């Protein structure tokens, strides 16, 4: 499948790997929108959040976000977790992923 995150998962494309388990991996966003900008990505391909019904995986993505935010030193100052879905959600890569953004105030209550 011609999916950039599947290619990163298969190591066909290089990335800055931060963390990896059997079910997910975490990389730094190539176009960071904050001093810390991580992407938490399931190894299994789901097109978007509506396609994924795996409660353990979804829970682990959130727990990973919090754990890595602590490790990156942005937990106390604060961080934002975002999952964009489809056009209005601003999704550009159609393989489920969660953004973790921190290290500067996130402007606006959303977006
Ligand atoms: P979204 O707009 O929510 O679909 O987010 C996709 C994110 O993937 C964007 O923030 C991109 O900068 C990021 N991205 C795209 N290609 C790569 C890559 N090869 N390595 C790391 N991040 C990437
Ligand atoms: Zn994929």
């Amino acid at each position: 499948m011609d999916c950039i995150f599947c290619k990163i998962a298969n190591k066909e494309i290089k990335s800055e790997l931060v963390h990896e388990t059997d079910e997910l991996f975490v990389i730094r966003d190539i176009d960071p929108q904050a001093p810390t900008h991580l992407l938490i990505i399931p190894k299994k391909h789901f097109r978007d959040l509506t396609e994924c019904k795996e409660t353990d995986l979804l829970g682990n993505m959130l727990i990973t976000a919090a754990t890595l935010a602590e490790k990156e030193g942005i937990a106390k100052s604060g961080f934002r977790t975002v999952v964009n879905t489809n056009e209005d959600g601003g999704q550009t890569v159609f393989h489920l992923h969660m953004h973790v953004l921190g290290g500067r105030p996130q402007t606006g209550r959303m977006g």
Side-chain angles (χ1 to χ4, degrees):
M1 194 192 302
D2 194 24
C3 167
I4 192 157
F5 287 171
C6 282
K7 286 182 177 165
I8 291 174
N10 297 332
K11 320 261 191 224
E12 287 171 50
I13 293 178
K14 275 196 182 161
S15 68
E16 205 186 326
L17 191 67
V18 174
H19 179 72
E20 187 174 14
T21 68
D22 286 350
E23 64 178 358
L24 60 80
F25 62 101
V26 182
I27 60 173
R28 293 196 192 277
D29 198 292
I30 204 167
D31 181 23
Q33 304 300 306
T36 296
H37 187 169
L38 305 177
L39 298 174
I40 300 174
I41 307 172
K43 288 185 175 173
K44 192 167 156 187
H45 181 92
F46 299 97
R47 183 191 180 277
D48 60 57
L49 186 59
T50 70
E51 299 279 305
C52 180
K53 311 295 180 195
E54 297 192 12
T55 52
D56 280 358
L57 171 64
L58 292 170
N60 286 337
M61 288 172 73
L62 277 168
I63 289 167
T64 301
T67 304
L68 290 181
E70 286 180 326
K71 213 167 167 183
E72 294 274 321
I74 57 167
K76 282 230 160 64
S77 50
F79 62 97
R80 183 170 283 177
T81 49
V82 176
V83 179
N84 296 323
T85 304
N86 281 327
E87 196 181 341
D88 284 358
Q91 187 175 7
T92 59
V93 175
F94 291 90
H95 176 131
L96 176 63
H97 55 280
M98 181 184 290
H99 298 258
V100 179
L101 298 140
R104 68 158 171 79
Q106 297 296 308
T107 50
R109 290 195 46 79
M110 297 287 162

